[in-house]
Amino acid sequence: MSVKENLYHIQDRIAAACARVGRSQHDVNIVAVSKTVGADKILEAIDAGVEMIGENRVQEAWAKFQEIGPSVQWHLVGHLQTNKVKQALQFFNVIQSVDSLHLASEISKRAVMLGCSVEVLVEVNTSGEESKFGQRPELVVDFVAQIAQLKNISVTGLMTIGAFLPDPEEVRPCFVKLRKLLERINTQKIENVKMRHLSMGMTNDFEVAVEEGATLVRIGRAIFGERVS
Ligand SMILES: *Cc1c(COP(=O)(O)O)cnc(C)c1O
């Protein structure tokens, strides 16, 4: 199937998941995760209506940005090292993977120097898997309050990578945890904080994530096919 057909099929599945829980499908955006995928395929996705591109490596994304440009929103979904922050801020609109004060401070400092401002999401390790990046859930509320005070950063939501489990139903508790954290943060009425994004759900589990309130689903393989490298 073509990228376009894949996307239409995913949109139908998102619409069905929304219908099951009484959400509007317009509240769910697809972030097309295009790591390892060439600019030609990404342009096909954009042609089919994709408005957000997700990449996990700054260097690789930069090369594609040269071809594609700023007509779409660029989301960094992979781990960011502080020595790449400066380059990341040249073109990423949203950094979804902020999980330490050290990193958030560096982003803020660089954004001030560049005279730009950047939207960030806090990555949360909802599965407890040691190998995963992300803040521990019990620390997230305080963490959000801290980074909300930093200049030139706006923190608009939470992101998680669910547990690597074959049955998406088993990943549901991760998504529930993220949604409840967002609700808790919003009821605390922290200054400068109005969280609206839940970035959760990938090829294997996005329908469950949508049922649990995802506003951003990060989908790679279901759009572009299996990754070769
Ligand atoms: C690769 C990746 C995705 C997309 O995964 P698929 O299984 O291809 O849909 C989503 N989020 C992050 C952080 C990724 O690295």
Side-chain angles (χ1 to χ4, degrees), residues 19-185:
R20 286 196 288 277
V21 296
R23 297 185 64 197
S24 162
Q25 68 182 101
H26 303 294
D27 294 337
V28 183
N29 273 289
I30 296 173
V31 179
V33 178
S34 52
K35 59 193 182 206
T36 79
V37 172
D40 52 333
K41 292 267 183 200
I42 301 175
L43 288 167
E44 266 182 70
I46 293 169
D47 202 44
V50 159
E51 295 174 342
M52 299 173 180
I53 300 297
E55 285 279 344
N56 67 339
R57 291 207 173 92
V58 176
Q59 209 70 38
E60 182 187 335
W62 176 249
K64 296 174 199 179
F65 177 79
Q66 300 307 307
E67 287 188 55
I68 293 164
S71 63
V72 282
Q73 259 193 23
W74 291 80
H75 290 235
L76 180 62
V77 299
H79 183 66
L80 177 59
Q81 289 171 329
T82 47
N83 64 356
K84 300 273 170 62
V85 167
K86 188 180 172 196
Q87 189 180 17
L89 289 178
Q90 310 283 327
F91 67 108
F92 279 111
N93 306 93
V94 183
I95 298 175
Q96 294 206 4
S97 48
V98 173
D99 65 353
S100 74
L101 189 56
H102 178 62
L103 174 61
S105 305
E106 181 67 17
I107 294 171
S108 168
K109 190 182 97 190
R110 290 284 177 185
V112 170
M113 285 166 70
L114 288 164
C116 68
S117 125
V118 65
E119 186 175 337
V120 304
L121 308 185
V122 169
E123 181 170 357
V124 184
N125 182 350
T126 52
S127 68
E129 288 169 15
E130 289 283 340
S131 59
K132 293 236 168 82
F133 291 108
Q135 270 283 345
R136 284 161 51 192
E138 60 272 27
L139 302 179
V140 167
V141 178
D142 285 345
F143 180 64
V144 167
Q146 271 181 311
I147 69 172
Q149 308 309 315
L150 296 172
K151 292 196 176 82
N152 297 41
I153 277 189
S154 61
V155 49
T156 60
L158 303 176
M159 181 272 244
T160 200
I161 299 173
F164 284 127
L165 295 168
D167 176 2
E169 276 305 326
E170 291 188 75
V171 194
R172 190 183 293 272
C174 294
F175 301 147
V176 171
K177 198 177 275 181
L178 202 71
R179 170 167 52 77
K180 291 197 165 152
L181 267 175
L182 189 98
E183 287 163 5
R184 233 175 80 207
I185 290 162

Side-chain angles (χ1 to χ4, degrees), residues 14-24 172 207-213:
I14 289 173
C18 283
R20 286 196 288 277
V21 296
R23 297 185 64 197
S24 162
R172 190 183 293 272
E207 287 153 303
V208 171
V210 167
E211 287 172 9
E212 294 301 338

Side-chain angles (χ1 to χ4, degrees), residues 1-9 11 44-45 47-49 223:
M1 283 212 291
S2 68
V3 164
K4 189 170 271 173
E5 286 167 326
N6 288 343
L7 272 163
Y8 292 159
H9 185 54
Q11 276 156 356
E44 266 182 70
D47 202 44
I223 298 173

